[in-house]
Amino acid sequence: MLDIRALRQDGEAIAEALKKRGYELDLEAFRALDARRKDADVRSQDLQAQRKKASKEVGELIKSGMDVEAAKAKVAETLKEIDDQLDGEVERAKAIQEEIRDFLMGVPNAPVADVPAGNDEDDNVEVRRWGTPRAFDFEPRDHVDVGEHLAAGALDFERASKLSGARFAVMTGQLARLHRGLIDFMLDTHTGEHGYQEVYVPYLVGPEALRGTGQLPKFEEDLFKMQGDRELYLIPTAEVPVTNLAAEEILEADSLPRRYTCHTPCFRSEAGSHGKDTRGMIRQHQFEKVELVQLVRPEESEATLEALTGHAEAILQKLDLPYRVVTLCGGDLGFSAAKTYDIEVWLPSQERYREISSCSNFRDYQARRMQARWRNPDTGKPELVHTLNGSGLAVGRALVAILENYQNEDGSVTVPEALRPYMRGLERLA
């Protein structure tokens, strides 16, 4: 969440920055809450001063000749009255602090200065392109047709629907192996070439972890909540458990940067996406992703975003899949992000680029919610880290891109050279 001190000192500038993402910050409401908090604090301090003064009166009464027990009894009445009032003010202050926290938890991150203004994805700004889309000498089919016509119906949505309903897929045979090979290829690249440590994490998390990374409280409808004695949710992305590894911790300076990569299934209800990408594997309730997460010193986060985005791009380059990188405008920016690059891969059937990775710098927004800190050796004091993450990549969408870009007229699919070692040398899906 945003820094409350910054809101007090520079609220107008933050409100102006938030307008870039179409969010109107209610500064008056915040200041009214903060004034009530300050009033409760002042009242508590005044009562504490009164209590201290009343406590001293015992000695003064005794010096004046009053019996010790009588003096204590006289002051005790005053102290009880003050303590009752003090308890009330403490409870009032706690309640106001909760109101302030709830207010701040609902405010998105402020975009950094170079995030372009705009309302939606149409206003995103292209940064670069890599590769040239293939010129087909036949009419390319979409991944659904390609997958369903591979041997033994390798991509099967009908059976998946019988099991779980819409937005699920069953893969068999060579296609299932290719899907698994993609995961191993991505993990091997990020651990072997980009310096990430592979981690394995739970697929179920409690609400505090989701509050830490910003999915709760605002986006609960996008989550799958479990029924049972414990309050647990299926993870929407590995970002949640992996970033929260640092929650409530103080990291030593020489342990930074921390680079984690993690493969997990991801579960999303896709609330609000009715009618969007209903065909195929573009938008599903369950999908696989290889995630990249970094925890860094604040002064390094800007350069880290560029490097992390490059690590995700490297996967597409090795697979020889054309893509472009765009900077998200304020209106398309995720709730917790201060800046995001989307990587979009070329899909021949749609004749357009589609998102396959979002790489974001959250600065200290998530760290403040999680209380993830590092010890600055120059001051010896704990400070908030900066967190970043990105998909490296979304496995299902990478599979979609391969099926469409590497399809052949006879219905087969050429296996990208980078993946053949993971396919026991197989060069073509029949």
Side-chain angles (χ1 to χ4, degrees):
M1 56 188 164
L2 296 178
D3 185 354
I4 192 170
R5 293 170 298 180
L7 274 175
R8 289 169 183 156
Q9 297 168 7
D10 209 7
E12 282 79 8
I14 294 173
E16 191 61 32
L18 286 168
K19 285 181 181 178
K20 192 182 284 187
R21 59 155 74 234
Y23 184 87
E24 290 291 335
L25 177 63
D26 193 343
L27 270 179
E28 288 189 12
F30 167 73
R31 286 168 175 163
L33 278 172
D34 207 33
R36 287 171 55 205
R37 174 208 55 82
K38 186 176 181 180
D39 179 67
D41 288 345
V42 169
R43 178 65 179 152
S44 295
Q45 292 167 9
D46 182 54
L47 287 167
Q48 287 168 351
Q50 289 181 41
R51 194 184 194 287
K52 187 175 182 181
K53 182 180 177 182
S55 298
K56 290 180 179 179
E57 288 181 2
V58 174
E60 293 172 1
L61 290 171
I62 293 171
K63 287 179 182 178
S64 69
M66 184 177 287
D67 177 77
V68 173
E69 294 304 318
K72 287 182 177 179
K74 180 177 175 60
V75 173
E77 292 180 12
T78 304
L79 287 176
K80 184 179 186 308
E81 184 179 339
I82 293 173
D83 284 345
D84 288 344
Q85 294 180 55
L86 186 56
D87 288 345
E89 288 302 324
V90 169
E91 288 304 312
R92 186 164 77 95
K94 284 182 181 178
I96 295 170
Q97 288 286 12
E98 280 300 308
E99 286 187 64
I100 292 174
R101 177 177 168 78
D102 289 345
F103 177 89
L104 292 176
M105 292 288 265
V107 178
N109 202 354
V112 296
D114 63 348
V115 168
N119 298 319
D120 52 36
E121 62 181 21
D122 294 332
D123 297 318
N124 294 338
V125 177
E126 185 174 306
V127 178
R128 57 184 171 271
R129 294 190 182 195
W130 186 93
T132 303
R134 173 183 168 188
F136 288 85
D137 55 8
F138 60 92
E139 186 68 27
R141 293 170 291 185
D142 73 0
H143 68 281
V144 176
D145 286 340
V146 174
E148 288 180 341
H149 287 87
L150 289 173
L155 183 58
D156 193 331
F157 294 100
E158 185 176 346
R159 286 180 178 173
S161 181
K162 286 197 302 183
L163 295 171
S164 308
R167 296 190 190 272
F168 291 91
V170 168
M171 287 176 276
T172 58
Q174 296 175 343
L175 190 62
R177 184 191 296 176
L178 183 63
H179 184 265
R180 174 163 53 90
L182 271 168
I183 296 166
D184 289 342
F185 163 67
M186 293 175 189
L187 289 172
D188 286 350
T189 301
H190 295 314
T191 56
E193 299 180 21
H194 301 150
Y196 289 82
Q197 180 183 26
E198 184 176 352
V199 294
Y200 172 84
V201 294
Y203 302 160
L204 291 166
V205 295
E208 273 307 311
L210 290 155
R211 276 191 280 270
T213 44
Q215 282 78 16
L216 287 179
K218 190 173 179 61
F219 301 105
E220 184 162 12
E221 65 175 4
D222 293 325
L223 304 171
F224 285 110
K225 187 176 183 179
M226 307 300 292
Q227 292 184 344
D229 296 336
R230 298 175 59 192
E231 189 176 5
L232 292 171
Y233 296 80
L234 287 166
I235 60 170
T237 165
E239 167 199 347
V240 178
V242 176
T243 310
N244 273 278
L245 291 174
E248 304 293 341
E249 291 194 8
I250 299 175
L251 311 176
E252 294 304 319
D254 59 6
S255 74
L256 296 178
R258 292 200 178 183
R259 297 178 174 181
Y260 298 120
T261 185
C262 183
H263 158 249
T264 66
C266 305
F267 305 91
R268 299 183 186 177
S269 72
E270 294 296 346
S273 68
H274 303 294
K276 296 179 182 178
D277 297 310
T278 55
R279 179 175 168 83
M281 296 179 64
I282 296 296
R283 197 181 298 273
Q284 295 198 294
H285 292 310
Q286 174 186 312
F287 60 96
E288 312 285 311
K289 193 147 64 82
V290 171
E291 192 76 1
L292 306 175
V293 172
Q294 292 208 38
L295 311 173
V296 304
R297 302 184 186 202
E299 66 271 16
E300 296 173 353
S301 67
E302 186 175 338
T304 299
L305 177 61
E306 304 300 323
L308 184 148
T309 305
H311 298 153
E313 289 180 69
I315 299 296
L316 291 173
Q317 292 176 12
K318 287 175 178 289
L319 295 174
D320 199 20
L321 291 170
Y323 68 88
R324 70 171 188 164
V325 179
V326 299
T327 304
L328 297 195
C329 69
D332 202 28
L333 205 59
F335 183 80
S336 300
K339 182 177 181 178
T340 297
Y341 290 120
D342 265 10
I343 303 173
E344 300 176 345
V345 68
W346 178 257
L347 295 186
S349 69
Q350 299 184 21
E351 295 188 326
R352 59 180 290 207
Y353 292 96
R354 294 300 306 270
E355 178 200 337
I356 195 169
S357 173
S358 285
C359 301
S360 300
N361 184 359
F362 304 97
R363 299 177 65 81
D364 61 10
Y365 186 88
Q366 291 180 328
R368 183 170 289 104
R369 296 165 79 109
M370 295 185 299
Q371 282 302 289
R373 295 170 290 171
W374 70 294
R375 193 175 302 281
N376 189 329
D378 296 332
T379 64
K381 296 179 180 179
E383 299 177 9
L384 295 170
V385 297
H386 279 197
T387 63
L388 304 96
N389 71 52
S391 304
L393 301 164
V395 181
R397 293 194 179 190
L399 188 70
V400 166
I402 289 170
L403 291 177
E404 294 203 6
N405 284 278
Y406 280 90
Q407 64 179 292
N408 301 306
E409 189 171 11
D410 63 1
S412 64
V413 176
T414 301
V415 176
E417 287 190 21
L419 295 178
R420 291 176 187 175
Y422 299 90
M423 298 292 290
R424 302 176 189 171
L426 188 69
E427 297 183 3
R428 183 172 294 201
L429 306 184

